[in-house]
Amino acid sequence: MSNSTAQPDPKHADPTAERADRMKRLSIIPIWNTSGVAEEMGYKARGHVWRWRDLHAEFEEAVKTSLAGPGTERRILLFENPGMPRSAAATPTLNGALQMILPGEVAPAHRHTYSALRFILSGSGAFTVVDGTRADMHELDLLLTPGGCWHSHAHNGGTEPMVWFDALDTPFVSYMRADCFEMHPSKSLEPYTNTVGSYEDIGALGMLQGRTRAQPPASPQLVYKWAAAEAMIQAGLDRDDDDPYEGVVYEYVNPITGGHVMPTIACHVNGFRKGFHSKARRRTSSSLCVVAKGSGATIIDGVKHEWSERDVIAEPAWSWCEYIAYEKSILFRTSDQPILEPFGLARQEDHPNGRQ
Ligand SMILES: [Fe+2]
């Protein structure tokens, strides 16, 4: 019997291709040829801006359609970093999204191992319930939903839609295969017994409610008022307390420990005076920044990304970042810094030339 013409001649076989096939069958990667591995994994997150005007237009369109009519419980626009296709993630560790609920709607109660936060962008009359405590939503306030807490949202006031920015550690938790998700038996709004104050409840007077002494891994303070954050930034600007890399910067903290607000997510505000142009710095943490006030640009790895109020900017890990403020501006920043710190992986480097 003669050989088939389709069979390769062993004398002329491509040894490189043969080796690649063999290694694929063995489920191994030769580490002398790994230049494309990270790219294949889709982990080349890029600097990117999700623009408020574009996303808000999508919400308006969705509200007009039957796909997202009254009673829709999850009207969410999830950000996907353009450098990470099919990841449904804004950075390798963080999810970002805008969420909208309309008057009369309820997002049913559930809990999960993901830690989440809401930064309120527009509207009024909605509230969230976290483990039986109600917290009203007001523009630019920060609301926490620590991992494992029951939470639901409802809108029972006024006629305006309520829109907020969500950030979660979902990509990190999923990578660790630590996802757990559970619907609340009520299948609706979780009953609530408390209405949260904020500082008044959590130690601002030098006293703590007994129930807060358990020192949970996340901050027991569920609401951080914008007025306080803005006042701190303004005070810093007034006394010329600008850092050349970050402007005036404050962190939202767990009032009991002084640490980050949640075990996997940190929150900061950066304030820039008009005309500020920072020096360039890069960090091993990834950030999502919401433009709370003002307008300007962030130069990320040499690319200028302009922004205005309510836009959201992705700053990938180890990317050079440089800030320019066209007017007095404040960014709300959420990052994965707490994930890195316990392992000695939280690093930063200042650009040797100052700017890119
Ligand atoms: Fe949730």
Side-chain angles (χ1 to χ4, degrees):
M1 193 163 62
S2 63
N3 287 339
S4 158
T5 52
Q7 292 295 319
D9 179 349
K11 289 181 187 165
H12 296 95
D14 177 352
T16 306
E18 270 190 10
R19 188 188 305 125
D21 283 350
R22 190 171 67 243
M23 291 194 176
K24 197 168 184 181
R25 283 198 304 277
L26 293 171
S27 300
I28 53 176
I29 298 170
I31 61 167
W32 56 84
N33 184 27
T34 53
S35 57
V37 171
E39 207 154 345
E40 283 168 22
M41 291 170 71
Y43 282 4
K44 293 293 276 185
R46 291 184 207 151
H48 187 73
V49 180
W50 289 273
R51 301 198 183 283
W52 168 253
R53 64 170 182 270
D54 297 336
L55 274 58
H56 199 259
E58 291 298 331
F59 276 137
E60 286 183 341
E61 178 68 22
V63 167
K64 288 181 200 163
T65 69
S66 58
L67 288 175
T72 299
E73 61 198 49
R74 292 180 70 78
R75 193 179 293 101
I76 296 171
L77 295 171
L78 186 61
F79 300 165
E80 184 171 77
N81 191 292
M84 300 166 53
R86 297 175 300 284
S87 66
T91 78
T93 51
L94 296 172
N95 262 7
L98 292 197
Q99 184 165 173
M100 170 190 268
I101 65 171
L102 299 178
E105 289 184 341
V106 171
H110 60 277
R111 64 181 175 181
H112 38 64
T113 44
Y114 316 124
S115 295
L117 62 85
R118 332 277 162 202
F119 188 72
I120 311 303
L121 295 181
S122 74
S124 60
F127 60 94
T128 191
V129 178
V130 178
D131 272 352
T133 296
R134 169 176 163 157
D136 291 341
M137 294 178 168
H138 297 289
E139 222 166 281
L140 304 184
D141 283 359
L142 167 65
L143 277 65
L144 303 184
T145 309
C149 294
W150 293 111
H151 55 283
S152 50
H153 319 295
H155 193 325
N156 66 350
T159 56
E160 272 185 281
M162 193 96 209
V163 181
W164 63 84
F165 165 75
D166 282 320
L168 296 91
D169 56 9
T170 310
F172 170 69
V173 175
S174 294
Y175 183 77
M176 301 304 287
R177 300 294 187 265
D179 314 67
C180 293
F181 186 98
E182 191 181 356
M183 291 302 295
H184 192 271
S186 69
K187 295 189 169 49
S188 182
L189 189 67
E190 181 197 355
Y192 55 91
T193 49
N194 300 319
T195 296
V196 75
S198 50
Y199 307 99
E200 294 82 0
D201 276 5
I202 314 289
L205 304 175
M207 299 183 74
L208 288 165
Q209 293 177 344
R211 64 184 165 83
T212 62
R213 298 303 291 166
Q215 298 204 9
S219 171
Q221 183 172 320
L222 298 178
V223 179
Y224 292 75
K225 303 297 290 178
W226 174 251
E230 189 171 31
M232 297 292 276
I233 291 291
Q234 188 58 53
L237 291 172
D238 289 346
R239 60 174 187 269
D240 295 332
D241 193 18
D242 309 54
D243 176 277
Y245 293 89
E246 300 194 53
V248 175
V249 57
Y250 278 89
E251 180 171 8
Y252 297 84
V253 296
N254 177 334
I256 294 179
T257 65
H260 303 303
V261 287
M262 292 189 283
T264 50
I265 297 177
C267 295
H268 292 78
V269 275
N270 290 76
F272 310 130
R273 68 182 71 248
K274 181 179 179 179
F276 178 76
H277 187 157
S278 80
K279 292 182 176 178
R281 169 175 282 171
R282 61 181 179 180
R283 299 181 255 226
T284 49
S285 56
S286 306
S287 295
L288 295 175
C289 297
V290 184
V291 184
K293 297 279 183 182
S295 61
T298 306
I299 302 173
I300 304 174
D301 280 342
V303 178
K304 187 176 185 181
H305 300 267
E306 295 196 303
W307 38 255
S308 55
E309 283 185 4
R310 294 178 178 75
D311 290 349
V312 182
I313 307 132
E315 292 180 0
W318 216 236
S319 298
W320 292 112
C321 291
E322 191 176 319
Y323 305 100
I324 301 168
Y326 300 155
E327 57 187 311
K328 188 174 87 174
S329 302
I330 306 178
L331 300 182
F332 167 79
R333 167 194 302 277
T334 182
S335 80
D336 61 0
Q337 187 183 337
I339 298 174
L340 300 161
E341 287 176 344
F343 308 102
L345 300 173
R347 294 179 52 223
Q348 67 181 34
E349 184 179 8
D350 298 337
H351 198 288
N353 301 327
R355 290 180 182 159
Q356 299 169 69

